[in-house]
Amino acid sequence: DGGITQSPKYLFRKEGQNVTLSCEQNLNHDAMYWYRQDPGQGLRLIYYSQIVNDFQKGDIAEGYSVSREKKESFPLTVTSAQKNPTAFYLCAAGANTDTQYFGPGTRLTVL
Amino acid sequence: KQEVTQIPAALSVPEGENLVLNCSFTDSAIYNLQWFRQDPGKGLTSLLLIQSSQREQTSGRLNASLDKSSGRSTLYIAASQPGDSATYLCAVPYSNYQLIWGAGTKLIIKP
């Protein structure tokens, strides 16, 4: 079964806690992306990676960190510095903007 | 900076009707525009990509048009069905790896 997998589906964070969202792909795409989606807003780019061991900040990178040690994996850490992390997080992979395949998403809630 | 707007934010129509969803953009210097579908609590699926050199792109009951001079794209859905209920988002690229997104139109098809 090919595609993008994200885990967990639901995640709860306590104040001051770091949490990590997983994203794995078996599509063999070089580029991977993390987006944040809030109600009534378009998707906003957090980070993207064009190739292993390289990544760039998107529009809202503050309070987030990523790593890209393997082509298949692009985990996102939501740090305690992110003051309003409650949102739906989407991971995508693709050759470029013309071809982006999305995972099912992780809903993060701050307790 | 490019802005993408989708109006209305929500639309409810009876089953069987033909309908049009709108997407507006402020900078006409785009090289393509994409339409995506998002089911509740799920990831996004690409529906249609229309290149700047095209005026229309069709897939089944879906037809997307692009008018760069007026900064507008429409997604036409023929003979709507309850299974078409979802949020429809449009996006335009502003680099090889980054998209600017509309906030989406939530469509409800009433049986």
Side-chain angles (χ1 to χ4, degrees):
Chain A
D1 189 21
I4 315 291
T5 57
Q6 290 186 241
S7 62
K9 185 173 182 179
Y10 299 98
L11 186 57
F12 299 92
R13 194 193 91 165
K14 296 180 181 179
E15 294 288 341
Q17 192 177 41
N18 293 352
V19 292
T20 297
L21 284 61
S22 170
C23 177
E24 303 279 331
Q25 59 119 349
N26 63 4
L27 301 173
N28 202 35
H29 285 304
D30 285 317
M32 296 187 74
Y33 311 80
W34 274 106
Y35 293 96
R36 170 176 172 146
Q37 187 177 32
D38 294 281
Q41 296 189 38
L43 274 66
R44 292 183 289 169
L45 184 64
I46 305 172
Y47 270 98
Y48 67 101
S49 168
Q50 299 175 42
I51 199 167
V52 173
N53 292 323
D54 184 53
F55 46 83
Q56 285 78 41
K57 293 181 179 180
D59 299 321
I60 56 165
E62 185 175 352
Y64 300 96
S65 66
V66 293
S67 63
R68 187 84 187 277
E69 298 177 0
K70 299 186 300 181
K71 187 175 185 178
E72 302 80 15
S73 179
F74 190 39
L76 173 73
T77 297
V78 184
T79 75
S80 57
Q82 173 49 242
K83 298 306 179 188
N84 185 25
T86 295
F88 191 54
Y89 290 86
L90 288 160
C91 177
N96 50 46
T97 56
D98 291 359
T99 52
Q100 288 199 12
Y101 300 92
F102 284 81
T106 292
R107 186 165 298 281
L108 174 61
T109 302
V110 174
L111 299 175
Chain B
K1 184 181 177 182
Q2 177 78 272
E3 293 182 3
V4 179
T5 304
Q6 292 185 250
I7 296 174
L11 181 64
S12 180
V13 300
E15 179 179 2
E17 283 199 4
N18 302 325
L19 59 98
V20 174
L21 304 180
N22 297 301
C23 174
S24 300
F25 46 92
T26 55
D27 185 347
S28 61
I30 62 171
Y31 60 88
N32 65 45
L33 183 145
Q34 292 187 71
W35 283 93
F36 291 82
R37 169 183 171 139
Q38 185 177 29
D39 292 295
K42 302 289 180 63
L44 279 69
T45 302
S46 179
L47 296 173
L48 290 165
L49 183 150
I50 182 165
Q51 301 289 355
S52 61
S53 57
Q54 298 174 308
R55 292 191 63 84
E56 290 188 355
Q57 189 70 261
T58 298
S59 176
R61 295 182 293 107
L62 305 180
N63 176 278
S65 69
L66 178 63
D67 184 346
K68 287 177 57 178
S69 62
S70 67
R72 189 162 175 247
S73 175
T74 60
L75 180 67
Y76 175 84
I77 302 177
S80 58
Q81 304 170 357
D84 295 329
S85 298
T87 296
Y88 292 81
L89 299 97
C90 63
V92 297
Y94 70 94
S95 75
N96 283 342
Y97 295 96
Q98 295 177 283
L99 291 164
I100 297 181
W101 295 82
T105 295
K106 183 177 181 179
L107 177 64
I108 298 173
I109 307 298
K110 297 175 289 186

